Amino acid sequence: MARNERPQAHRLQRFHAQARGQAGMEPPQSEACIDCGWGRLIFSHTFDDPQQIVDALREEGPERRDIAFYVRDPHVLLAAAPQEIFLDPSHTYRLDISTYRASRRQPRGFFIRRLSTEADARAVNRIYGSRGMVQVRPDFFWSNRDSRALIYLVAEDETTGEIIGTVTGVDHPRAFSDPEQGSSLWCLAVDGQAKHPGIGEMLVRRLAEHFSARGRAYMDLSVLHDNANAIKLYEKLGFRRVPVFAVKRKNPINEKLFSRPLEDYDGLNPYARLIVDEAHRRGVHVEITDAEGGFFRLSHGGRSVHCRESLSELTSAVAMSICDDKAVTRRVVESAGLSVPEQIVASDDDEVLEAFLKKHERVVVKPARGEQGRGIAVGIDAVEDTKAAIANARTVCDRVLIEACFSGEDLRLVVIDFKLVAAAVRRPPHVIGDGRKKIRSLIVAQSRRRASATGGESTIPIDAETERCLAIAGYTLDSVPENGVEIMVRKTANLHTGGSIHDVTDIVHPRLVEAAIAAAKAIDIPVVGIDFMVKSPDRPDYVFIEANERPGLANHEPQPTAERFLDLLFPLSGARAAAMALGRA
């Protein structure tokens, strides 16, 4: 041991000895477990016999994920039930609280607090669902809000009041009279739509400070071996990897952790992967035919359906061609009684352009064919800017449309089998100034966070449209906005150009639902994303914008979009069919 390491090692040894002495008031509980809502945390080192651990894991409830942690001899435990359990492919990291140093940096734009309301519990579940985590009954959170063993922290946006992050802590002495005075961190999750940097780091730090104040010796966590970003954060905060193992049951929730992955599975984008995962969970056979393009074939009960993400063979070529041409889509839904904005085809006739702009004051320019927001400019109020936008849109499609601009929010309604499954407001990308960085740097950082949260699907382009939007607000890419100033950097709200998505399914107005279903029926399309501009999602006013024949279902978690898609393709698959057979659906 190096000379400068000896004093530190001595302090650690003395600290742990004191901690063990403090905990000696009560003997440690044997066969200790704690219900965390998503499943039970089984403290394996409190069990005498591996078979007892296996028996405890067999008590796992449906749609839950129990974890046997601190497994001493994983090879012995696995040998006791090799067909039922598996070694979790995660690393354990430990923060020695005696050497942890709190950061002087304070959160900007958000704050950390204890979970305190049922609304908090619902918001945490929403974040869990969007991250593919096991959700918890809101009443469980609520009933345990004052628990001394479970600690729920949330991050709240100072401006909107929205919950944008969460973490759970387990106090081991409170849970099972741990003589080592340990603690652990679970379920760190940050809302993928959050604009603020450093939310995850601040949640971890606050939890560490909470346990430090209570004299805990260390804080452990388990992280998947390939979660490079999380591991980088933990190592930055002083966590070090320790030889501690976890074992879980082979169940549908854990399947991707223990089963051999499908060939080319890693090449799928999040939209295809969501559906493939749901199919795999139901026992529907999956064959990936072209991973890069998002193509796969699903087979079940003698039926086979080829899909490209949410576009399947059930969508006719006619319906797809209607959606492909925005002018045709507009005419079809207008005939069905929907409200549509006035529209013209862009030409070189300046008088027509000037007259249309004078009539509507602000316009939207978009290619007649295209997707993912490419070539779209919103809120243009000058002739020269309109001409420039037309030229840009023609790089996507030769025919360009000009529409009256309707002020409000961009609402996407996902309709499957002519029923509403999800509704979400799509908001344009913003950055928040810190008084130090240029807007260009802020955009790059925000774009990096959006890409990380969406599997690389969402980034903010830095182009002429971005510069135009900044100029409207009086900025350039080299401007340094003051701390806390929020700036819209693009007017389009598409996910692929950096927009964020906020679920409003529970509050969407029935009139909007009726209009979306009417549009789907007019096009005669079984799966579609209908886009409206609305004053507010809970008000009936709207204008139709477009229909997307291949909506990104992964953008609407925790709503059951993939489940309803599989219900459409294979009605006799999954839990819903079983419930129907028993008369419970």
Side-chain angles (χ1 to χ4, degrees), residues 418-474:
F418 306 111
K419 301 178 185 69
L420 180 75
V421 177
V425 167
R426 304 187 298 177
R427 292 177 180 145
H430 293 71
V431 296
I432 300 175
D434 62 2
R436 296 177 291 110
K437 296 187 184 69
K438 295 179 179 179
I439 290 179
R440 185 190 304 274
S441 298
L442 295 172
I443 291 175
V444 169
Q446 175 69 356
S447 188
R448 186 167 56 246
R449 288 192 294 273
R450 295 293 297 127
S452 176
T454 60
E457 293 296 311
S458 180
T459 56
I460 306 173
I462 297 179
D463 55 16
E465 176 63 11
T466 304
E467 292 179 315
R468 184 185 74 84
C469 292
L470 290 174
I472 292 173

Side-chain angles (χ1 to χ4, degrees), residues 22 60 181 199 273 321 477 491 500 535 537:
Q22 293 169 5
E60 179 183 71
Q181 291 284 290
I199 299 170
R273 194 175 297 172
S321 64
L477 288 168
K491 289 187 177 292
S500 58
K535 294 293 185 183

Side-chain angles (χ1 to χ4, degrees), residues 100-151:
Y100 169 74
R101 295 294 177 266
S103 173
R104 294 181 179 178
R105 186 166 64 90
Q106 295 299 313
R108 293 191 176 189
F110 65 95
F111 58 92
I112 310 297
R113 62 172 174 80
R114 294 286 290 262
L115 181 147
S116 60
T117 68
E118 292 186 70
D120 289 347
R122 290 193 295 271
V124 168
N125 253 342
R126 174 184 57 79
I127 295 174
Y128 283 177
S130 70
R131 292 302 194 177
M133 298 163 65
V134 179
Q135 293 182 293
V136 178
R137 296 190 329 271
D139 64 297
F140 181 91
F141 280 127
W142 182 244
S143 63
N144 284 276
R145 67 191 184 281
D146 295 323
S147 169
R148 302 178 75 186
L150 292 170
I151 297 91

Side-chain angles (χ1 to χ4, degrees), residues 110-398:
F110 65 95
F111 58 92
I112 310 297
R113 62 172 174 80
R114 294 286 290 262
L115 181 147
S116 60
T117 68
E118 292 186 70
D120 289 347
R122 290 193 295 271
V124 168
N125 253 342
R126 174 184 57 79
I127 295 174
Y128 283 177
S130 70
R131 292 302 194 177
M133 298 163 65
V134 179
Q135 293 182 293
V136 178
R137 296 190 329 271
D139 64 297
F140 181 91
F141 280 127
W142 182 244
S143 63
N144 284 276
R145 67 191 184 281
D146 295 323
S147 169
R148 302 178 75 186
L150 292 170
I151 297 91
Y152 301 111
L153 299 182
V154 295
E156 179 180 327
D157 188 292
E158 288 180 350
T159 303
T160 66
E162 293 180 349
I163 300 303
I164 53 177
T166 179
V167 70
T168 300
V170 177
D171 190 323
H172 295 183
R174 300 295 187 187
F176 65 97
S177 301
D178 179 20
E180 294 190 354
Q181 291 284 290
S183 64
S184 53
L185 176 156
W186 303 90
C187 298
L188 176 65
V190 175
D191 189 339
Q193 317 297 337
K195 299 183 289 291
H196 306 289
I199 299 170
E201 177 179 342
M202 287 302 172
L203 284 164
V204 175
R205 286 188 178 279
R206 289 294 183 271
L207 191 61
E209 290 157 15
H210 171 89
F211 286 132
S212 176
R214 281 149 185 78
R216 302 302 171 243
Y218 58 82
M219 182 169 73
D220 288 347
L221 59 84
S222 181
V223 57
L224 279 173
H225 71 96
D226 57 357
N227 192 345
N229 289 335
I231 290 173
K232 183 178 179 181
L233 168 63
Y234 298 139
E235 291 181 342
K236 167 190 169 184
L237 296 178
F239 285 81
R240 295 293 177 264
R241 187 174 162 189
V242 292
V244 171
F245 303 98
V247 168
K248 298 176 181 175
R249 281 193 70 224
K250 293 181 178 179
N251 62 24
I253 293 175
N254 293 326
E255 186 170 2
K256 58 187 175 184
L257 298 177
F258 65 82
S259 64
R260 181 179 179 181
L262 291 166
E263 188 174 354
D264 296 329
Y265 175 83
D266 290 340
L268 294 173
N269 63 33
Y271 308 112
R273 194 175 297 172
L274 179 79
I275 298 170
V276 166
D277 286 346
E278 174 63 18
H280 208 181
R281 188 183 69 82
R282 292 181 180 219
V284 174
H285 181 264
V286 179
E287 177 192 357
I288 299 174
T289 53
D290 184 82
E292 185 176 351
F295 289 89
F296 50 88
R297 183 179 296 279
L298 304 179
S299 304
H300 182 74
R303 184 181 190 185
S304 177
V305 183
H306 206 186
C307 306
R308 184 184 187 189
E309 300 164 11
S310 65
L311 177 65
S312 76
E313 293 174 337
L314 275 63
T315 296
S316 70
V318 172
M320 186 172 173
S321 64
I322 290 172
C323 293
D324 181 56
D325 191 317
K326 294 177 175 61
V328 175
T329 315
R330 178 184 176 278
R331 293 196 296 269
V332 169
V333 301
E334 185 179 21
S335 299
L338 271 74
S339 175
V340 298
E342 186 173 349
Q343 182 185 92
I344 62 173
V345 177
S347 68
D348 295 329
D349 190 330
D350 288 354
E351 291 185 4
V352 172
L353 178 61
E354 289 174 5
F356 192 82
L357 191 59
K358 182 177 180 181
K359 179 179 180 180
H360 297 289
E361 296 183 350
R362 297 187 306 122
V363 299
V364 177
V365 176
K366 59 186 180 183
R369 288 186 169 91
E371 58 182 6
Q372 300 181 348
R374 288 192 291 266
I376 298 178
V378 177
I380 303 175
D381 58 5
V383 173
E384 291 305 315
D385 288 342
T386 306
K387 289 181 178 181
I390 292 170
N392 182 53
R394 281 177 175 156
T395 64
V396 178
C397 177
D398 291 339

